[in-house]
Amino acid sequence: MSLSQTIEQWFAEAQAVAQLVAPMAAFLGFIALGIMYMGSSFPIIGQWKQDNPRAANQVVMGLLFVIAASTVASLISFT
């Protein structure tokens, strides 16, 4: 097996893994974001949100990154 075939195979496997992991990570991120917004009435979550005011912004940025990465991974094709 040549080096170029090995590299192509590795990228194909990386693409397959990214296409499986990205939607799961996005789903979990949306669930976490919903809990952060809707759970503010609970004292534990409300206190945590006060201590971490940028947490929601960081979750949204992470979700955008995951969605962009999954889009790029789905566009990559080795033929």
Side-chain angles (χ1 to χ4, degrees), residues 4 14-16 20-22 25 28 31 36-38 43-45 48-50 53-54 64-65 67-68 70 73 79:
S4 64
Q15 177 188 8
L20 287 174
V21 172
L28 291 175
I31 295 295
M36 283 183 356
Y37 279 121
M38 302 301 286
I44 295 172
I45 297 174
W48 182 82
K49 267 185 81 174
Q50 280 184 331
R54 296 183 341 174
L64 292 175
F65 177 76
I67 292 169
S70 65
T79 57

Side-chain angles (χ1 to χ4, degrees), residues 25-30 33 58-68:
F27 175 76
L28 291 175
F30 281 115
L33 193 60
Q58 292 171 346
V59 170
V60 170
M61 289 303 295
L63 288 173
L64 292 175
F65 177 76
V66 166
I67 292 169

